Amino acid sequence: MAPERMADGSTAGRPEPQPRPLDAIDRDILQILHTDGRASIRSVAERVHVSRANAYARINRLIEDGVIRGFGARINHERAGQGASAYITLKIVQNTWRTVREQLRTLPGASHIALVSGDFDVLLLVHTPDNRALRELVLTRLQAMPEVLSTRTLLVFEEDDLEAEG
């Protein structure tokens, strides 16, 4: 039985092994899949000039090593009914990052969570249906967390997704 893989890519109860070095073909495969996560193994193999078996083995190794964390769709949040987006900064009680991160992962519309340095501790990106839902998330959900000392909400007026443009 394979070990349970955690959300951060590590395995339960075991430190993550050091990643193997990437060569030029691995980097080319990553660029292709970053641009088009739906690219077929055959297409990837042809574009990097290796056999399908080699491309398949390399992609599986990149997944097993945690280099590729998953595959997904890029979503236009506004067209998907999430017309309000905001970056929310949080100051948190020292040494509560792991607890806060687990709570933030359960928030509806949470899209990105980062522990950062500077004037605040956490940067959270959320997408909600409207400003009322955003206000509810901030005032009711975030500020009710005992580990959260303060928040600041930065509304997103317009955004440009740079991921996988090409």
Side-chain angles (χ1 to χ4, degrees):
M1 185 166 102
E4 179 185 356
R5 188 159 291 280
M6 307 301 283
D8 66 0
S10 64
T11 51
R14 215 181 298 165
E16 197 167 345
Q18 288 296 323
R20 292 172 263 200
L22 303 181
D23 63 16
I25 293 172
D26 291 331
R27 287 189 292 278
D28 288 346
I29 289 171
L30 289 174
Q31 183 58 47
I32 291 166
L33 293 176
H34 183 73
T35 301
D36 180 7
R38 296 176 60 178
S40 68
I41 298 288
R42 187 186 71 167
S43 166
V44 170
E46 288 172 358
R47 291 170 64 185
V48 299
H49 310 291
V50 298
S51 70
R52 280 186 291 197
N54 187 315
Y56 182 80
R58 283 173 177 267
I59 291 169
N60 277 341
R61 179 179 49 85
L62 292 166
I63 292 168
E64 289 169 8
D65 285 355
V67 175
I68 295 176
R69 298 183 300 165
F71 298 87
R74 292 183 307 130
I75 298 169
N76 179 322
H77 294 284
E78 191 169 354
R79 292 186 62 94
Q82 297 179 310
S85 296
Y87 286 95
I88 304 169
T89 65
L90 295 88
K91 288 186 182 181
I92 61 173
V93 174
Q94 190 171 356
N95 297 322
T96 62
W97 162 241
R98 286 178 180 79
T99 302
V100 171
R101 178 181 56 196
E102 293 311 310
Q103 293 176 64
L104 296 178
R105 283 181 172 159
T106 68
L107 291 176
S111 176
H112 184 85
I113 305 164
L115 179 65
V116 298
S117 64
D119 293 337
F120 48 89
D121 304 304
V122 178
L123 182 63
L124 171 67
L125 173 60
V126 297
H127 304 283
T128 61
D130 52 35
N131 283 341
R132 176 171 288 175
L134 177 60
R135 183 184 70 220
E136 181 71 16
L137 186 137
V138 173
L139 298 179
T140 304
R141 301 286 298 270
L142 289 177
Q143 292 182 359
M145 293 179 190
E147 301 86 0
V148 174
L149 300 173
S150 67
T151 64
R152 173 176 255 163
T153 303
L154 307 164
L155 292 177
V156 174
F157 295 126
E158 186 175 318
E159 60 185 319
D160 208 359
D161 185 5
L162 302 179
E163 288 286 312
E165 282 192 2

